[in-house]
Amino acid sequence: MAQVSTVGRSEALFERAKDLMPGGVNSPVRAFKAVGGTPLYFSRAKGAYLFDEDGNRYIDFVSSWGAIIHGHADDSVNAAIANAASNGTSFGAPHRGEVLLAEAILARCAAVEMIRFVNSGTEATMSAIRLARAATGRTKIVKFEGNYHGASDGLLAKAGSGVATFALPDSAGVPASTAQETIVVTYNDPAALAEAFAAHPNLIAAVLVEPASGNMGLVPPSSGFLQSTAELCRKNGALLIFDEVMTGFRVAAGGAAELYGITPDLLCYGKVIGGGLPVGAYAGRKDIMTMVAPVGPVYQAGTLSGNPLAMAAGLSAVSRLDAGSYTTLETLGARLQSGLQQALGKAGVVQRVGSMISVFFTDGPVATFEEANRTDRALFGKLFHFLLGRGIYLPPSALESWFLTLSHTEEDIDVTIDAFADGLKAVA
Ligand SMILES: *Cc1c(COP(=O)(O)O)cnc(C)c1O
C-alpha cells in the first residue's frame, strides 16, 4: 500500500511561489483552498500516476481536469509532439495539422459541420457567444446555475434574486452591465428556462449548457431536460450551444450530443481535443460558422491558434479513441462507482457519466447546484487528505468531477475503493 512520507519539497516550492504568483498558482483551485493544506508540486506523470517533487506516487483522478484520456506522457501523443516540434513550434500560418484534426473531429461529431480552433475552453465559449449574438441579432445569454464555461466576464455570472431575472457578477471586476446580459436559471429545470424565455421575448440569443454538468461535481441531465432545452430554443429562435469542453470525446466519440441524441447549433470543445496541450474550439452549423472572419463579419483571431504541437497532440489523442475505448472507460467507471457507493452506504451518493464521476455526501441524488451545495465539504476535506496520504490524488474540491483515463487499471480502482472505505471509517 502506497504511503506518502514527506512532501517537504512541495512545501518549499509553494513558499517561494506565494510571493511570485497570486496564491502561488496559475489557476485558483490548485491552491488547495477548498481542502486546506499545501498543494503538491508534481515533477512527472506517467499513465494513471503522478509523482511529486519528493518522489511520492499518486493514482491521479484529476487527469488534468479531464484533458488527459489515454494517460499521462502517452507514448503516441509524445511522439506526435516531438515530431511536430522538430518541424517548427509555430508558423503563424496554415499547416496540415489543423486540417487533419478538423477532419478527425468532423468525422466523429455529426453536429460539427465546421470548426475554428482557439487556445482554451474559455476562448471557445466566449467566441461562440459572440457568434450566437451576431447570428441572432440578440444580446442575452442563458446559462445554468452550477455550469462552468470558463473565466470570461459574461459567463462569470450568478443567479440574481429570482428565476428569470438578470444575473449578478460572480467575480469582482465584472461590470453589472455585463452580468445583466446573462440570465442564470436552475439546471435540470425546463420550467425555469421556459419562464426565462417568457420574461425576455425575442431577446435571448443563446442557451449555453453543459450537457452533462461536470463542474459542480458530476450532475447528469435529468430525463428530457436536454430535449426540452432544445425545443424551447427552437420555439423561441435562440441558438443551443453545447459546452462540450469536458464531455467532448470523453463520454462518447461524438460527445454528449451523440450520447443524448441532440443536435445543438454550436458546440465548444477543449481539454481532450488538445491531448494535454492548450487547445479549444468552437464549431457547429456551417451557415453560422461562415459568419466568422474572414468569411463573415464576426471577428475572432489568435496568434497561436491551431498551434502545430497542440494539433498533433490532439490528433493523436482523438484519432485513437474508438468504441473499445469508451467500453473500457465505462467498465472502469462502473467499477469505481459501485465500489464507492458500497463503501458509502446511505452516507452519500456517487454520480457518474462514463469516466466522469463524483461523490456527494447528501441524502439523495443531486440534480441542481443547490442540491450539490449541500454536500459535506468538511468531510470531503478530511477524506481528501486521508486519501492523499494513501497515494490517491482527488480533485482538491468537493464540487469537482473525478476523471478516469484509459491507463487506470482495475487494481488502481480497487486500491482507491479500499482506501476510500478506510478513510470513511477513519474520519467519521
Ligand atoms: C474547463 C471548462 C471550460 C474552460 O476551459 P479552459 O480551457 O479552462 O479555459 C469551459 N467549459 C467547461 C464545461 C469546462 O469544463
Side-chain angles (χ1 to χ4, degrees), residues 120-123 125 148-151 210 215 243 245-246 271 279:
S120 68
T122 296
E123 254 187 271
T125 56
Y148 176 69
H149 303 292
E210 275 189 80
N215 285 291
D243 181 350
V245 171
M246 203 173 253
K271 300 195 169 106
V279 182

Side-chain angles (χ1 to χ4, degrees), residues 81-363:
I81 293 171
N83 181 55
S86 71
N87 291 318
T89 54
S90 184
F91 307 129
H95 64 99
R96 176 183 297 270
E98 299 167 300
V99 178
L100 298 180
L101 183 55
E103 283 174 347
I105 292 174
L106 261 67
R108 287 164 177 79
C109 306
V112 177
E113 296 173 356
M114 215 173 226
I115 189 164
R116 165 65 61 85
F117 291 110
V118 293
N119 302 292
S120 68
T122 296
E123 254 187 271
T125 56
M126 206 171 75
S127 307
I129 282 172
R130 182 181 304 145
L131 178 55
R133 285 176 167 151
T136 57
R138 302 173 177 185
T139 59
K140 300 210 178 299
I141 298 294
V142 174
K143 79 174 281 287
F144 294 97
E145 196 179 15
N147 281 193
Y148 176 69
H149 303 292
S152 70
D153 279 5
L155 295 170
L156 289 178
K158 65 181 174 193
S161 57
V163 180
T165 61
F166 300 115
L168 304 170
D170 202 14
S171 162
V174 173
S177 57
T178 302
Q180 281 180 10
E181 295 299 330
T182 306
I183 299 158
V184 181
V185 303
T186 305
Y187 193 65
N188 279 327
D189 186 351
L193 181 59
E195 204 180 315
F197 273 119
H200 307 283
N202 302 319
L203 294 175
I204 296 171
V207 174
L208 184 57
V209 62
E210 275 189 80
S213 188
N215 285 291
M216 50 172 152
L218 191 280
V219 179
S222 302
S223 166
F225 168 64
L226 295 172
Q227 286 76 6
S228 304
T229 300
E231 188 54 39
L232 282 165
C233 285
R234 199 163 28 244
K235 262 202 244 157
N236 291 282
L239 299 182
L240 175 61
I241 308 176
F242 266 20
D243 181 350
E244 296 230 35
V245 171
M246 203 173 253
T247 54
F249 296 95
R250 176 163 282 282
V251 299
E258 176 190 302
L259 185 66
Y260 298 115
I262 306 278
T263 306
D265 301 293
L266 294 173
L267 306 92
C268 300
Y269 294 106
K271 300 195 169 106
V272 171
I273 67 160
L277 268 63
V279 182
Y282 60 108
R285 277 167 48 187
K286 193 168 194 163
D287 61 320
I288 302 176
M289 290 302 293
T290 48
M291 292 187 70
V292 176
V295 186
V298 180
Y299 190 71
Q300 185 274 313
T303 300
L304 293 176
S305 293
N307 174 264
L309 273 60
M311 296 293 104
L315 181 64
S316 171
V318 166
S319 63
R320 285 180 298 123
L321 292 167
D322 57 20
S325 313
Y326 297 102
T327 306
T328 302
L329 291 170
E330 174 63 27
T331 305
L332 291 171
R335 189 179 185 97
L336 181 59
Q337 182 179 23
S338 75
L340 295 176
Q341 188 63 68
Q342 202 169 353
L344 274 169
K346 292 203 166 67
V349 179
V350 188
Q351 301 196 161
R352 182 180 70 87
V353 174
S355 56
M356 301 164 60
I357 188 163
S358 74
V359 172
F360 293 100
F361 302 104
T362 52
D363 54 13

Side-chain angles (χ1 to χ4, degrees), residues 366-399:
V366 165
T368 67
F369 182 63
E370 201 190 316
E371 289 168 358
N373 236 337
R374 288 184 202 144
T375 194
D376 186 339
R377 289 162 199 258
L379 176 57
F380 178 83
K382 288 182 203 158
L383 262 175
F384 172 86
H385 284 290
F386 181 93
L387 291 171
L388 206 57
R390 291 274 288 262
I392 293 162
Y393 191 70
L394 299 182
S397 161
L399 291 184

